[in-house]
Amino acid sequence: MIIYNKTWLANLIIQDQMNKSVIAGDLPKEEFKNIERTYPVGFYSPNIFVRTGLFVLTCIIALFGGCLLSYIFWDTGMVDSGGWILFLGLISYIALEIVVKKKNHFRSGTDDALLWISGGLFCVSFVWMTAKLNWFFNNGDLHSSIPIATFALLLSIYLALRFADSLMALFSFLALLSLIVMLAIYHLSFGASILPFLVMLISAVVYYFFLSAGSKLKFVHYQHCLLFLQTGSLLTLYLAGNYYVVQQLGNELYGYTSIGPYKVPYPIFFWPWTILVPFIYTGLGIYKKNVILLRTGLVLIAIAAITFKNYYHVLPIEVTLVLIGLFTLAGSYLTIRYLKTPRNGFTSRELQQDTIAGGINMESLIIATTQLDAPKGTETRFGGGDFGGGGSSSTF
Amino acid sequence: MNTDLYKKLHNEGLISDETLEKIIAKNTTPLFSLHWELKTLLYLGVTLLSTGLGVLIYKNIDTIGHQFILLFIAAICAGCFIYCIKNRNPFSREKSDSPSSFYDYILLLGCLSLLSFLGYLQFQYHVFGDNYGLATLIPMLILFYVAYEFDHIGILCMGITNLAIWLGLTVNPYTILSNGLGSNNSLIIPYLFLGLFLLAAGYVSERYNFKKHFKFTYQNFGLNISFLALFTGYFTTYDNALSFLWLIGVFVLAFILYTDALKNKSFYFLLLIILYAYTAISTLIVRVLFNMNSEAAFVMGLLYFIGSAICLIIALIQLNKKIKES
């Protein structure tokens, strides 16, 4: 099923593992070179910058190539149909297979671009041919999108399995979720009322399945996909029970009924879910030393806080900010001090430098992009309009 | 993590006994690093705290005494700087490793509150009068001094942004794009000079081995600002016959930076330069084709984009190989 050379994939895992040891300073460079020679990897997978460049350029080629072909065949009248889109999709898919098979591209940017272009074209042609250009699905009736979701699901599962693409795997999970949700709404009389629980159930099953799949040899080539799927299912598991999400989606489904605006039923269940689940994730993440659980939990704590803030205004926003800021600073300071010498297998030191190829420190890039507004922001706060960024206005 | 793989490689004679022992010893007590999480939390804490303080002061400006607020910010700022001075490593022309990540973010907090302090001082007491140039020059000088003295790249970025504010513009590319520099011709030249100045600063820090690792930041700002200024210059004078001079500027700059990036093996800059130069060539060719205004020109345009993109892909792949081998 998988298109790539399996020996190379296995060798890649070995090399990645050994590379970590080299960075951590456990494995001498010469020994690594020997391992590299004994377990060669023939893939063409360049660094992230070349990958970005190749992605952009492949999109340009596909776009203008499609235009050129359409232009040439314009007079024949074939262009104005779903079949033409299918044809273009097939061309890009064949190009993808050739690039991967003959040129051994593996996460090189070119294959990423072709994968998504061909997938997108297939979906568009499917919609075109089944819905016969009726883009608006009978005035907002989502019913006709069930076959589309089914098609997208099958297609993305195929592509994810064949090309071991992590984003595609995540996409197929989302397609599965939306398909089941739509089926429940349209084919179950009580479907809409159990939606949150249905999504939770599916996410939990999916998470459990892919968590246990991580240790199985069968899935060894899909490690990246598994990580994405775990993160995705953890997120949907939480969001399905998040108070704000439930209320908004309930509003979408029911709107204003005769008894007034939509109210979330069982707040006794949904509020604790909203607040507690992120902490459970974080706690479990630390307990099990699972990075995905931990990081997802930390992000979700912030979302839980915002959700809570949205409904209950205990403190004015600025006091909340100051308090949370102080609390986070103090907490991380104490943790860093506590973990200065590793305890219980935890450390606050970094085990590997977070540099990417090309000799760039990731942190400096992040600070460079996010701190841009900081000084301007702090000054305009006092401006009240007329001081405006300390003379940055054009009148100055 | 299991050590089976290492044992297997050891049996094949690829890993020495010494290395295997070291790895097995390390794996009996595997470590789980919270480094990334703690750093993010620190960053979040500093940002939230400084934002919250700013809003707090702004909202209560009439009720609390001004002196009290000023004192309060000054206390935070002084506290941060005292902590940093106590814990700092001695100044060095090379990269001096920061004592801890906590230190980095406390320094950031100190600088943010210093900016608040100076801004407040100016707003309430007009310390610098109507001389806004001076009001932005002083924070800028302080920021640059702190960045060099304490070796902090984040503060260097803030300093560069303030330099741009001082010049009467803002560096944020999004605001440039949304405002459209086109309506504001007079800013192109200072903008271009700022970009070239930053590039020169990057060159100097490498050439004279003074905080060499700052070069990336200088070059990143300088490169984007210069190219954007040159392109804006071209598009604002589009109808003028001499407008191609701006694009010549793009090519000259691209060539100089290209040799430099190749020397330093920086894929990031190479990609940026190639894409900017490609855009410049493409705008020229599209312009010529537009002037021809025929069906053949349309087809030629399509062929140009397909062909040029293929050539660039090949070039990128070759370049990647070349740098890797050297």
Side-chain angles (χ1 to χ4, degrees):
Chain A
M1 188 64 201
I2 199 162
I3 189 171
Y4 301 105
N5 182 327
K6 282 190 182 161
T7 332
W8 284 353
L9 281 179
N11 291 356
L12 189 67
I13 296 172
I14 296 178
Q15 283 198 12
D16 280 348
Q17 180 67 46
M18 293 304 134
N19 204 14
K20 274 184 204 155
S21 300
V22 173
I23 293 170
D26 296 329
L27 190 72
K29 274 239 167 76
E30 308 83 61
E31 290 181 16
F32 179 67
K33 286 239 168 81
N34 280 333
I35 294 171
E36 228 176 6
R37 235 172 285 134
T38 329
Y39 293 98
V41 174
F43 292 129
Y44 179 71
S45 20
N47 63 55
I48 182 74
F49 302 116
V50 177
R51 190 176 175 185
T52 317
L54 292 187
F55 186 90
V56 173
L57 293 169
T58 310
C59 286
I60 292 178
I61 295 175
L63 175 65
F64 287 100
C67 286
L68 185 65
L69 277 180
S70 307
Y71 178 76
I72 293 172
F73 290 99
W74 190 261
D75 293 334
T76 62
M78 292 192 307
V79 176
D80 194 22
S81 72
W84 179 253
I85 307 284
L86 179 66
F87 172 67
L88 291 181
L90 276 175
I91 292 182
S92 19
Y93 182 75
I94 292 168
L96 171 65
E97 289 258 338
I98 291 173
V99 160
V100 172
K101 272 247 165 84
K102 298 265 187 261
K103 302 277 179 189
N104 295 321
H105 280 237
F106 177 66
R107 295 187 189 132
S108 72
T110 303
D111 55 350
D112 299 304
L114 287 174
L115 183 69
W116 286 94
I117 290 169
S118 56
L121 286 174
F122 284 144
C123 282
V124 170
S125 76
F126 180 80
V127 173
W128 195 323
M129 288 195 279
T130 52
K132 300 219 168 47
L133 259 180
N134 191 359
W135 289 101
F136 294 102
F137 309 125
N138 310 326
N139 296 328
D141 177 17
L142 279 168
H143 198 270
S144 53
S145 48
I146 289 178
I148 297 167
T150 319
F151 180 74
L153 173 65
L154 293 175
L155 183 68
S156 55
I157 287 181
Y158 169 74
L159 290 175
L161 283 176
R162 186 149 177 79
F163 295 96
D165 187 86
S166 32
L167 270 181
M168 198 48 100
L170 187 62
F171 183 81
S172 55
F173 168 63
L174 294 179
L176 173 75
L177 265 190
S178 40
L179 177 63
I180 290 177
V181 165
M182 276 186 279
L183 280 177
I185 291 176
Y186 289 107
H187 294 291
L188 276 179
S189 52
F190 53 90
S193 49
I194 57 157
L195 268 192
F197 304 102
L198 188 67
V199 175
M200 277 181 209
L201 180 74
I202 299 166
S203 312
V205 170
V206 167
Y207 177 72
Y208 181 75
F209 178 71
F210 286 115
L211 184 69
S212 47
S215 52
K216 286 192 186 125
L217 203 60
K218 209 169 24 167
F219 295 99
V220 71
H221 299 314
Y222 294 100
Q223 293 299 329
H224 280 274
C225 305
L226 294 185
L227 296 185
F228 270 65
L229 285 168
Q230 284 172 24
T231 317
S233 52
L234 278 177
L235 285 175
T236 50
L237 175 63
Y238 169 73
L239 289 178
N242 180 287
Y243 195 86
Y244 181 78
V245 174
V246 173
Q247 192 183 37
Q248 291 300 313
L249 288 183
N251 260 339
E252 287 281 314
L253 276 177
Y254 297 105
Y256 283 82
T257 51
S258 51
I259 35 170
Y262 178 76
K263 271 207 187 91
V264 175
Y266 321 116
I268 196 82
F269 171 78
F270 284 108
W271 267 123
W273 182 276
T274 305
I275 305 297
L276 290 181
V277 167
F279 288 98
I280 296 175
Y281 280 6
T282 314
L284 275 177
I286 291 176
Y287 178 67
K288 302 230 178 227
K289 298 192 177 166
N290 182 326
V291 179
I292 290 187
L293 261 174
L294 174 61
R295 291 185 182 173
T296 316
L298 285 176
V299 172
L300 288 182
I301 287 177
I303 293 180
I306 295 169
T307 312
F308 186 74
K309 184 83 199 153
N310 199 29
Y311 292 96
Y312 298 99
H313 304 282
V314 184
L315 285 169
I317 181 83
E318 63 272 13
V319 180
T320 325
L321 286 179
V322 171
L323 285 181
I324 297 177
L326 279 176
F327 181 73
T328 343
L329 270 184
S332 22
Y333 174 67
L334 291 176
T335 322
I336 289 175
R337 295 244 347 222
Y338 178 72
L339 291 177
K340 215 158 201 177
T341 48
R343 275 169 221 247
N344 306 326
F346 288 101
T347 174
S348 65
R349 278 180 303 116
E350 65 183 330
L351 296 176
Q352 304 160 4
Q353 283 277 331
D354 54 348
T355 37
I356 38 177
I360 296 171
N361 189 279
M362 272 308 283
E363 198 192 352
S364 76
L365 261 188
I366 292 171
I367 292 184
T369 45
T370 55
Q371 274 300 318
L372 269 176
D373 269 339
K376 209 177 75 194
T378 35
E379 282 187 14
T380 40
R381 255 173 236 139
F382 304 95
D386 47 58
F387 183 58
S392 68
S393 59
S394 53
T395 48
F396 163 63
Chain B
M1 192 163 87
N2 57 34
T3 49
D4 294 346
L5 180 60
Y6 293 93
K7 281 178 187 151
K8 179 175 171 266
L9 291 172
H10 176 251
N11 287 339
E12 290 170 19
L14 292 166
I15 290 182
S16 65
D17 299 338
E18 195 186 342
T19 315
L20 183 68
E21 270 166 33
K22 209 157 115 193
I23 285 168
I24 287 178
K26 204 171 188 178
N27 270 316
T28 47
T29 52
L31 278 181
F32 185 78
S33 175
L34 292 174
H35 186 81
W36 185 89
E37 285 78 9
L38 287 169
K39 253 189 173 170
T40 313
L41 283 179
L42 281 172
Y43 184 70
L44 213 69
V46 167
T47 314
L48 289 178
L49 187 60
S50 60
T51 315
L53 281 178
V55 180
L56 192 68
I57 292 160
Y58 182 69
K59 276 197 180 164
N60 297 307
I61 210 153
D62 300 322
T63 48
I64 328 174
H66 296 303
Q67 279 91 349
F68 175 75
I69 298 176
L70 271 174
L71 214 70
F72 182 60
I73 313 176
I76 289 186
C77 178
C80 291
F81 277 110
I82 288 171
Y83 174 85
C84 291
I85 290 169
K86 264 174 116 177
N87 287 290
R88 62 172 300 193
N89 289 327
F91 178 80
S92 125
R93 290 166 69 104
E94 304 287 329
K95 182 180 170 120
S96 61
D97 282 329
S98 73
S100 70
S101 33
F102 184 70
Y103 166 93
D104 282 348
Y105 291 101
I106 285 301
L107 191 62
L108 196 62
L109 181 64
C111 282
L112 284 172
S113 49
L114 181 75
L115 286 179
S116 301
F117 181 76
L118 289 174
Y120 191 85
L121 217 57
Q122 165 66 10
F123 175 72
Q124 196 57 44
Y125 297 105
H126 297 281
V127 183
F128 305 111
D130 289 331
N131 198 344
Y132 293 130
L134 199 64
T136 46
L137 176 70
I138 288 174
M140 179 192 97
L141 290 179
I142 295 177
L143 283 175
F144 271 109
Y145 174 74
V146 172
Y148 272 92
E149 184 71 31
F150 293 89
D151 201 324
H152 195 297
I153 287 179
I155 293 169
L156 182 70
C157 293
M158 285 164 59
I160 294 174
T161 321
N162 251 40
L163 174 63
I165 293 175
W166 181 61
L167 269 175
L169 18 110
T170 138
V171 200
N172 195 329
Y174 299 109
T175 35
I176 305 161
L177 290 177
S178 54
N179 294 345
L181 256 186
S183 55
N184 222 338
N185 272 347
S186 55
L187 285 178
I188 294 172
I189 297 295
Y191 220 90
L192 186 58
F193 271 106
L194 175 68
L196 294 177
F197 173 74
L198 290 173
L199 285 174
Y203 174 76
V204 168
S205 29
E206 191 189 32
R207 174 77 176 72
Y208 294 98
N209 200 10
F210 191 77
K211 296 284 180 201
K212 226 193 229 168
H213 58 290
F214 281 4
K215 186 191 173 194
F216 174 82
T217 312
Y218 279 126
Q219 205 170 20
N220 192 17
F221 275 91
L223 186 145
N224 286 307
I225 294 171
S226 317
F227 275 126
L228 282 176
L230 284 169
F231 273 110
T232 331
Y234 172 68
F235 284 112
T236 44
T237 55
Y238 193 75
D239 296 326
N240 195 319
L242 287 176
S243 61
F244 70 93
L245 286 176
W246 290 104
L247 286 186
I248 289 181
V250 171
F251 294 129
V252 172
L253 190 64
F255 178 73
I256 297 169
L257 290 172
Y258 175 81
T259 42
D260 183 68
L262 208 56
K263 206 176 78 195
N264 291 313
K265 300 180 184 178
S266 169
F267 288 110
Y268 174 71
F269 287 126
L270 276 179
L271 180 68
L272 278 183
I273 294 160
I274 288 177
L275 288 182
Y276 275 123
Y278 181 57
T279 317
I281 297 174
S282 298
T283 45
L284 266 184
I285 290 189
V286 166
R287 185 174 188 175
V288 170
L289 291 173
F290 256 106
N291 284 342
M292 286 161 68
N293 199 14
S294 69
E295 252 184 64
F298 175 68
V299 178
M300 272 161 68
L302 294 176
L303 283 174
Y304 160 73
F305 275 107
I306 299 169
S308 61
I310 291 175
C311 290
L312 265 190
I313 284 185
I314 295 170
L316 262 181
I317 291 178
Q318 291 299 329
L319 209 62
N320 190 17
K321 229 187 248 165
K322 199 167 126 195
I323 291 181
K324 252 186 173 168
E325 279 164 8
S326 64

